[in-house]
Amino acid sequence: MRRLLPNLLRLAVLAALVAFLVQPMLFQPLLKPLVQANAPAIYNQGSLLSLTLSHLATVFTATLAATVVAVGLAILVTRPVGAEFLPLSRSLVNIGQTFPPVAVLALAVPVVGFGEKPTLIALFLYGLLPIFENAMTGLSTLPPAIMEAARGTGMTARQRLTKVELPLALPVILAGIRLSVTISLATATIGSTVAARTLGEVIIAGLQSNNLAFVLQGGLVVAALAVLIYDAFSALERVLSRRVGRV
């Protein structure tokens, strides 16, 4: 029963989110009290489903790129040949945390123009640090006995990395990716200020027209996505952690 209730709540959130994105007009009576007379209660300047899919595509594209770079750097600095590059790598992945996303957008627009590209750059830089730190922790804290056994079986360095180190470190790496995705889901909304197609369009439209319903529905969709994706990553981490524990 203790596990059943949270799962039922997650299913309810997912069902409500899908219903709202597919048939938003069903929720108009709930949002109508939040708007002034004759003002639309449901966002009517585009498809909410299309904006949500575009928002998710932007976040996952940026996260995928950040994961490849951050994990690659973590592998490099945890090898004897690349250990001396650790301070430089940390400085590189900290760039995104040093500059606010708004500042990155402002710097990127003159170079790459308006649209999705500056948003991808901002999310990519912002997502590097948590993935890099978790990947480095996972790769540098592996059980010495397992690593020694891998060497003893005659595995090459590449085989140890792909068949032992990365699989054992995967739960910790996923925790960093989970954090990065969750942060990016919220941060991506500011991409609409530079003409990227994200759910920020709904929030900005609500602010410009003093329409609280628009602001609320844009924020709630982002929040629901963040909760559901966070829980999905957490469940995957638990499954992988149990498998690693049986090794």
Side-chain angles (χ1 to χ4, degrees), residues 59-71 120 124 128 131:
V59 168
F60 285 118
T61 299
T63 302
L64 177 62
T67 299
V68 171
V69 173
V71 173
L120 286 172
F124 166 76
L128 284 173
I131 301 174

Side-chain angles (χ1 to χ4, degrees), residues 8-45:
L8 288 176
L9 288 174
R10 293 184 185 100
L11 287 174
V13 171
L14 177 60
L17 176 63
V18 171
F20 179 72
L21 294 177
V22 175
Q23 292 291 338
M25 296 307 294
L26 295 176
F27 296 79
Q28 184 170 350
L30 295 175
L31 296 169
K32 195 65 177 176
L34 300 177
V35 300
Q36 301 172 356
N38 300 322
I42 301 297
Y43 182 70
N44 58 356
Q45 299 173 27

Side-chain angles (χ1 to χ4, degrees), residues 5-142:
L5 183 57
N7 289 334
L8 288 176
L9 288 174
R10 293 184 185 100
L11 287 174
V13 171
L14 177 60
L17 176 63
V18 171
F20 179 72
L21 294 177
V22 175
Q23 292 291 338
M25 296 307 294
L26 295 176
F27 296 79
Q28 184 170 350
L30 295 175
L31 296 169
K32 195 65 177 176
L34 300 177
V35 300
Q36 301 172 356
N38 300 322
I42 301 297
Y43 182 70
N44 58 356
Q45 299 173 27
S47 167
L48 284 169
L49 179 59
S50 175
L51 283 176
T52 300
L53 294 175
S54 178
H55 189 106
L56 288 172
T58 300
V59 168
F60 285 118
T61 299
T63 302
L64 177 62
T67 299
V68 171
V69 173
V71 173
L73 284 174
I75 291 173
L76 173 65
V77 300
T78 53
R79 309 300 100 179
V81 69
E84 61 185 272
F85 295 104
L86 176 57
L88 176 60
S89 298
R90 276 216 164 98
S91 297
L92 290 174
V93 299
N94 269 298
I95 290 176
Q97 304 294 327
T98 303
F99 291 95
V102 175
V104 176
L105 288 176
L107 293 171
V109 165
V111 179
V112 299
F114 288 89
E116 187 181 18
K117 290 180 180 179
T119 306
L120 286 172
I121 293 171
L123 296 181
F124 166 76
L125 293 175
Y126 215 56
L128 284 173
L129 182 61
I131 301 174
F132 172 78
E133 291 293 346
N134 276 57
M136 195 177 66
T137 299
L139 290 170
S140 60
T141 59
L142 297 172

